[in-house]
Amino acid sequence: MKKTKGIMIGLIFGLVLSFCISFIFMFIAQGMAGGFTSFFGESWLYYAAIIPFILTFGILGFYFTNQDKVSNKKFWLLSLISALFISLYTGTIGALFGEYIVRGGSLRTYIEGGYIGVNVEGVLIWGTIYAFILLPLTTPLARLLIQAFLEVLKIYEVTD
């Protein structure tokens, strides 16, 4: 029962966090670009971020229900892996997936004409490069978010 509860809390936490992070990122990016075009920004980013956040925190919810204590070294390793997975997926597959949904692509048009209008190779290459280059920034942020998630699990008495 605790494992199921931990996974469900992780899924909900990941869902809410993906929307919050996407909104903050879009808000800052629009401000730096010179103005706000819309309140929520581009919707592809929300689609790109939702899957890795839900998966990561669902798995972490399961992991933390099985562990009594997590060492500092293991905590940093979990943060590194989580940050890499989230930024790598969001910057590559998630970005392509989000653009495909937002632009109204269908499986038939993809098969017949390919993925027209998006530089798929460039997104995959540069998304990977950015994911690794930004690890010194994303790993401490992931550590902070995972620590907050662990506190939520303690509130709901899933873990000690």
Side-chain angles (χ1 to χ4, degrees), residues 45-67:
L45 183 60
Y46 296 97
Y47 289 117
I50 195 167
I51 292 173
F53 273 96
I54 287 175
L55 282 175
T56 299
F57 284 97
I59 291 169
L60 286 173
F62 178 77
Y63 177 76
F64 286 134
T65 56
N66 290 333
Q67 300 295 318

Side-chain angles (χ1 to χ4, degrees), residues 51-123:
I51 292 173
F53 273 96
I54 287 175
L55 282 175
T56 299
F57 284 97
I59 291 169
L60 286 173
F62 178 77
Y63 177 76
F64 286 134
T65 56
N66 290 333
Q67 300 295 318
D68 291 333
K69 293 284 183 182
V70 179
S71 67
N72 192 37
K73 184 178 178 181
K74 180 134 342 189
F75 213 89
W76 277 108
L77 182 63
L78 286 172
S79 301
L80 177 73
I81 292 169
S82 298
L84 182 61
F85 172 69
I86 290 172
S87 60
L88 191 60
Y89 185 94
T90 303
T92 57
I93 299 167
L96 294 172
F97 178 67
E99 278 290 327
Y100 192 68
I101 290 175
V102 169
R103 305 294 175 235
S106 68
L107 185 59
R108 182 174 180 206
T109 57
Y110 179 74
I111 292 171
E112 290 175 356
Y115 200 19
I116 300 171
V118 175
N119 181 5
V120 176
E121 184 179 341
V123 169

